[in-house]
């Protein structure tokens, strides 16, 4: 299923629903006034008030093991709103829920509850979440409601295939897995082991894409091992990677288990390269610093990038909040707020229909680089490759399908 420009039928259906002032979703009810003819004396839409204020609902992981992401996201959107509202873009941003992210707890059911609570406040768009498994059910409901959902770090390819009102600020799993394979090829590694969490969509997506591309890149996958997101002992899987003669280990998982996997691999005698995806961002390497030598991960940006947008973001963020929560999640939520301002400019309004129109096919420059939305609503962008030195994350290179870019 392809993302496409709003069809005449879809546009007409939305307009009819808005003019009728009825429907099952809170969004449709809220937008009713914005499309009424001026001669009827209709009040401005609750979604935008004066037509220059973009009402945005935001949800993300505020509690639980991934709360560091939610903290970074909250800081980033607060900073973005302050900048926009004091700037000269011609638009203002209002984050509903008193400017606060609604917690999804890293759980799909809780995310639906978060989405429903945000819909009660009549937003023009909703931003979130950082995890694919959390975002997928929300994307399905948002599509039914014709609500613009801008996913931040949800890299599962199916997210934007839920409907024409769903977009994202990040690259997708197949692209990230492909880039990991390309990186291994460029480095000359030829025998790969893959260990993945079978109960996690993110891990499965990266695993599948890596394996699919490895053969074309001249890489033999000598071992594929399973684990779960709750596992803490990886000795069996890492021993198998060693016995199969792998020189590269791909572990696409989230940050909480990464030190355990890396430690187990080194204890098993694996001295080859270990690589993960953007879920590694923010990994605590304390006590494992030596183990993380020759480790890498793909990411949405690097704070060491010298691009003006990155330097501006990193400088302001660290001055206000320090470095502890300066992660890719923060950068993606920050870019997402600015993307919606550009969507309002492109679409000519702050109501949902105008924002969807303005987001479709847009070209945007932000912390994550310059990219254009493809037919599915996914950005086509390069990936940053980071490594570790003495446990600290260091930018190694930026990788595009055409090869390395310094």
């Amino acid at each position: 299923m392809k993302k496409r420009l709003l069809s005449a039928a879809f546009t007409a259906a939305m307009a009819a629903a808005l003019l009728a002032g009825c429907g099952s979703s809170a969004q449709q009810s809220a937008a009713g006034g914005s499309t009424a003819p001026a001669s009827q004396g209709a009040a401005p839409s609750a979604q935008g008030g004066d037509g220059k204020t973009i009402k945005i609902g935001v949800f993300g992981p505020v509690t639980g093991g991934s709360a560091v992401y939610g903290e970074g996201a909250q800081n980033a959107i607060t900073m973005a709103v302050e900048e926009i509202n004091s700037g000269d873009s011609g638009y203002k941003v209002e984050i509903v829920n008193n400017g606060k992210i609604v917690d999804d707890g890293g759980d799909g059911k809780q995310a639906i509850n978060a989405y429903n609570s945000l819909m009660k406040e009549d937003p023009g768009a909703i931003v979130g979440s950082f995890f694919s498994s959390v975002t997928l059910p929300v994307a399905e409901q948002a599509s039914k409601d014709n609500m613009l959902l801008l996913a931040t770090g949800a890299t599962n390819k199916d997210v934007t295939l839920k409907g024409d009102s769903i977009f994202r600020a990040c690259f997708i799993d197949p692209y990230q897995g492909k880039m990991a394979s390309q990186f291994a090829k460029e480095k000359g590694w030829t025998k790969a082991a893959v260990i993945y969490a079978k109960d996690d969509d993110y891990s499965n997506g990266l695993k599948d894409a890596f394996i699919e591309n490895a053969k074309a890149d001249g890489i033999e996958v000598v071992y594929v091992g399973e684990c779960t997101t709750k596992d803490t002992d990886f000795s069996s899987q890492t021993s198998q990677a060693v016995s199969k003669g792998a020189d590269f280990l791909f572990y696409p998982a989230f940050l909480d288990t990464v030190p355990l996997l890396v430690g187990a691999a080194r204890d098993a005698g694996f001295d080859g390269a270990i690589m993960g995806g953007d879920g590694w961002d923010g990994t605590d390497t304390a006590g494992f610093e030596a183990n993380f030598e020759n480790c890498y991960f793909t990411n949405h940006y690097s704070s060491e990038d010298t691009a003006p947008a990155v330097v501006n973001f990193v400088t302001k963020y660290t001055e206000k909040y320090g470095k502890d929560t300066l992660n890719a999640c923060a950068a993606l939520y920050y870019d997402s707020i600015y993307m919606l301002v550009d969507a309002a400019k492109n679409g000519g309004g702050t109501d949902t229909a105008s924002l969807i129109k303005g987001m479709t096919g847009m070209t945007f420059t932000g912390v994550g680089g310059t990219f254009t939305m493809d037919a599915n609503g996914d950005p086509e962008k390069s990936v940053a490759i980071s490594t570790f030195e003495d446990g600290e994350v260091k930018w190694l290179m930026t990788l595009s399908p055409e090869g390395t870019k310094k």
Side-chain angles (χ1 to χ4, degrees):
M1 186 171 111
K2 296 291 185 182
K3 180 78 66 179
R4 57 193 179 277
L5 292 173
L6 289 176
S7 66
F10 177 73
T11 304
M14 283 195 70
L18 295 173
L19 287 168
C22 62
S24 60
S25 74
Q27 186 268 338
Q28 289 176 332
S29 175
S34 66
T35 57
S39 61
Q40 293 181 2
S45 165
Q47 290 185 358
D50 57 6
K52 293 295 182 179
T53 299
I54 310 167
K55 291 185 65 176
I56 304 172
V58 185
F59 69 105
V62 177
T63 59
S66 300
V68 64
Y69 292 143
E71 184 178 353
Q74 181 67 67
N75 293 340
I77 63 170
T78 299
M79 189 169 80
V81 170
E82 290 174 352
E83 292 171 356
I84 293 164
N85 289 351
S86 63
D88 58 0
S89 68
Y91 289 92
K92 303 294 183 182
V93 171
E94 175 190 345
I95 304 298
V96 303
N97 192 43
N98 296 315
K100 299 298 183 182
I101 293 177
V102 176
D103 186 21
D104 62 35
D107 176 77
K109 291 182 179 179
Q110 188 170 336
I112 287 292
N113 292 335
Y115 170 81
N116 288 335
S117 71
L118 290 169
M119 288 292 284
K120 292 177 181 178
E121 299 202 46
D122 304 323
I126 292 179
V127 171
S129 182
F130 193 59
F131 302 117
S132 296
S133 58
V134 173
T135 308
L136 280 164
V138 175
E140 186 168 351
Q141 184 58 50
S143 179
K144 294 176 182 177
D145 292 337
N146 293 327
M147 168 54 58
L148 193 162
L149 177 69
L150 179 54
T152 53
T155 53
N156 185 291
K157 64 182 179 61
D158 292 336
V159 169
T160 52
L161 300 184
K162 296 296 183 181
D164 293 326
S165 66
I166 315 302
F167 303 84
R168 76 177 104 212
C170 60
F171 43 63
I172 61 176
D173 289 340
Y175 184 75
Q176 189 170 194
K178 175 184 177 181
M179 290 296 99
S181 178
Q182 182 175 318
F183 175 71
K185 175 186 178 181
E186 289 199 10
K187 298 293 286 186
W189 299 313
T190 59
K191 292 186 176 182
V194 180
I195 300 172
Y196 73 101
K198 63 182 180 181
D199 59 337
D200 180 65
D201 290 339
Y202 168 84
S203 194
N204 276 272
L206 268 72
K207 176 263 297 184
D208 290 343
F210 177 83
I211 292 174
E212 179 181 344
N213 285 276
K215 184 176 181 180
D217 287 334
I219 300 168
E220 179 186 4
V221 178
V222 297
Y223 170 72
V224 178
E226 295 180 347
C227 63
T228 74
T229 54
K230 304 298 183 183
D231 286 351
T232 58
D233 183 357
F234 301 94
S235 56
S236 175
Q237 298 95 325
T238 53
S239 294
Q240 285 290 317
V242 173
S243 68
K244 297 294 184 180
D247 58 5
F248 177 82
L249 172 57
F250 189 50
Y251 180 60
F254 287 107
L255 73 169
D256 51 345
T257 60
V258 170
L260 300 175
L261 181 285
V262 172
R266 299 310 187 204
D267 288 345
F270 184 78
D271 59 2
I274 307 176
M275 188 171 193
D278 60 314
W280 280 37
D281 188 32
T283 296
D284 184 2
T285 63
F288 292 89
E289 291 89 350
N291 291 337
F292 274 85
E293 295 298 316
N294 202 23
C295 286
Y296 311 87
F297 63 96
T298 52
N299 208 0
H300 304 273
Y301 95 116
S302 169
S303 62
E304 297 177 337
D305 196 324
T306 56
V310 177
V311 173
N312 176 69
F313 170 71
V314 171
T315 300
K316 290 183 177 180
Y317 189 99
T318 53
E319 286 177 353
K320 292 174 68 69
Y321 307 111
K323 294 183 178 181
D324 289 346
T325 58
L326 180 62
N327 49 44
C329 182
L332 288 165
Y333 273 84
Y334 179 86
D335 272 355
S336 294
I337 302 302
Y338 274 97
M339 287 170 70
L340 288 170
V341 174
D342 276 12
K345 294 176 182 178
N346 297 340
T350 60
D351 60 288
T352 300
S354 295
L355 292 172
I356 292 172
K357 176 183 176 182
M359 185 70 68
T360 303
M362 76 182 301
T363 296
F364 175 81
T365 297
V367 180
T370 298
F371 55 81
T372 299
M373 290 291 191
D374 69 11
N376 290 333
D378 301 323
E380 298 174 340
K381 59 199 299 189
S382 298
V383 301
I385 306 293
S386 293
T387 187
F388 297 85
E389 293 180 8
D390 298 324
E392 296 294 324
V393 174
K394 295 294 181 182
W395 179 44
L396 182 67
M397 66 177 69
T398 296
L399 195 63
S400 73
E402 294 74 34
T404 303
K405 298 192 301 182
K406 290 295 185 180

